[in-house]
Amino acid sequence: LLSPGNAVWHLRRGEARHSLREFDRAISDYSEAIRLRPGLSEAWRKRGLSHLFERRPDAAIADCTEAIRLHPKNAEAYHYRGLAWESQGRTDEAIADYGEVIRIEPGRVEGYVNRAGARLLAKDWAGAVADYEKALRIAPPDWPDRKALEQSLRTAREKVK
């Protein structure tokens, strides 16, 4: 039964608040879900995402790290933590986390796109080209960001020259 004393109730309300862009209120709900059920990795991951939207990358990294500890195959937690690392200019850590996303979900286009972006920031042009090429190979033909991805690949190829 979902009620205010139930961790899942707070998790779901946090999701609703996050979708309304009420990130601080979402964080409060996720925190309560964690207080009630500390092993609920989903609450840690989602609180990490809300911290990321609030431009608190250290808190996002800490929460996503805990989500990963609780559920090591949580590709989303690696994804969000990679974004947080990248926002701090810590490209090596971001690249490693995006690599974990790819290891866990090899068909996930965003894993390759995000790793390519981090590799560009690290001036690893050839690595970025390889990731963009792989992303284009596995992206569905109607993938909404295909044109932007093709442009990113052209830009990365120019850097290799």
Side-chain angles (χ1 to χ4, degrees), residues 60-73:
I61 289 165
D63 281 353
C64 290
T65 298
E66 182 61 13
I68 291 164
R69 187 189 71 74
L70 292 166
H71 182 58
K73 292 188 178 181

Side-chain angles (χ1 to χ4, degrees), residues 34 38-46 48 59-85 93-94 96-101 103-104:
I34 290 165
L40 187 59
S41 69
E42 188 178 1
W44 289 96
R45 173 178 52 85
K46 290 182 176 189
I61 289 165
D63 281 353
C64 290
T65 298
E66 182 61 13
I68 291 164
R69 187 189 71 74
L70 292 166
H71 182 58
K73 292 188 178 181
N74 189 332
E76 285 293 309
Y78 281 107
H79 178 151
Y80 300 155
R81 192 172 71 175
L83 293 171
W85 290 127
E93 291 91 340
D97 275 354
Y98 298 142
E100 285 300 305
V101 171
R103 184 184 63 76
I104 295 165

Side-chain angles (χ1 to χ4, degrees), residues 8 56 58 80 112 139 147 155:
V8 175
R56 294 193 284 254
D58 288 332
Y80 300 155
Y112 291 96
K147 291 215 182 296
T155 300

Side-chain angles (χ1 to χ4, degrees), residues 109 112-113 116 131-137 139 143 145-154:
V109 178
Y112 291 96
V113 171
D131 278 345
Y132 283 137
E133 287 174 344
K134 176 69 175 186
L136 274 172
R137 279 195 304 277
W143 193 60
D145 294 328
R146 181 172 278 282
K147 291 215 182 296
L149 178 54
E150 290 168 347
Q151 180 57 49
S152 295
L153 175 58
R154 283 191 293 276

Side-chain angles (χ1 to χ4, degrees), residues 7-8 10-11 28-38 40 43:
V8 175
H10 287 282
L11 177 69
S28 293
D29 274 319
Y30 296 139
S31 295
E32 184 61 11
I34 290 165
R35 185 188 72 75
L36 292 167
R37 200 160 123 204
L40 187 59

